[in-house]
Amino acid sequence: QVHLVESGGGSVESGRSLTLSCVASGNDIRRYSMAWFRQAPGKEREGVASTGAEGYTQYASSVQGRLTISRDNANNMVYLHMTSLKPEDSAIYYCAAVRGDFGQRRYPPFATEYNYWGQGTQVTVSS
C-alpha cells in the first residue's frame, strides 16, 4: 500500500511557474513508477509525466519542455516543476504510483496502469 498526498497547487498568471509536491507513505517508492496526471472539467484524466523505478522519464507532448518530473527516493517525494504555464494547464493534478518500471518507452503514462492515487491539487492559470 502507498498513500499519496499532493500539495503546491494554486492560482497563477499565465507564464508563471509552479511546483507540485507529492509525499508518499506506507512503502518505499524506490521500486515504484510515479506519475502525474491531470483532469480538467469535462475532460478525461490525462497522463502528464512519469518517472520509472529505473529513472526514465516520459512526458505528454503538450507539456514537453515546460514541465519536469523528478523524484527524491530518500524522502519518498515526487515533484512536478511547471514553467511557462498556460490557461489550458488548469486542472486538478494527481500523483499516482504503481510498483515496477515501464522501461524506456516514449509515451506518457496511462491512468489504467496506476493503482495508487492521491486526492489531487487544483492548479488554475489565468490569462
Side-chain angles (χ1 to χ4, degrees):
Q1 286 281 353
V2 177
H3 182 62
L4 304 170
V5 178
E6 305 94 336
S7 63
S11 297
V12 297
E13 293 180 344
S14 181
R16 303 298 290 263
S17 299
L18 204 60
T19 297
L20 306 182
S21 301
C22 172
V23 58
S25 59
N27 226 319
D28 186 342
I29 66 168
R30 206 174 304 271
R31 290 190 172 87
Y32 284 74
S33 289
M34 306 297 296
W36 286 95
F37 292 80
R38 67 186 181 187
Q39 189 165 19
K43 295 190 176 182
E44 291 188 359
R45 192 164 295 191
E46 172 192 21
V48 173
S50 58
T51 172
E54 299 297 323
Y56 300 113
T57 57
Q58 297 83 23
Y59 295 93
S61 58
S62 60
V63 305
Q64 186 80 43
R66 298 189 300 116
L67 275 59
T68 304
I69 188 170
S70 62
R71 61 193 297 160
D72 177 358
N73 289 335
N75 292 297
N76 257 22
M77 296 288 296
V78 181
Y79 303 96
L80 184 68
H81 183 55
M82 305 186 291
T83 64
S84 301
L85 282 164
K86 306 175 182 180
E88 51 264 43
D89 293 318
S90 297
I92 299 175
Y93 283 71
Y94 298 92
C95 179
V98 64
R99 188 175 175 93
D101 187 80
F102 297 107
Q104 299 184 54
R105 68 184 195 184
R106 297 176 182 271
Y107 49 89
F110 294 107
T112 52
E113 296 174 322
Y114 290 76
N115 53 356
Y116 297 108
W117 293 85
Q119 292 299 306
T121 185
Q122 176 73 49
V123 173
T124 303
V125 184
S126 59
S127 57

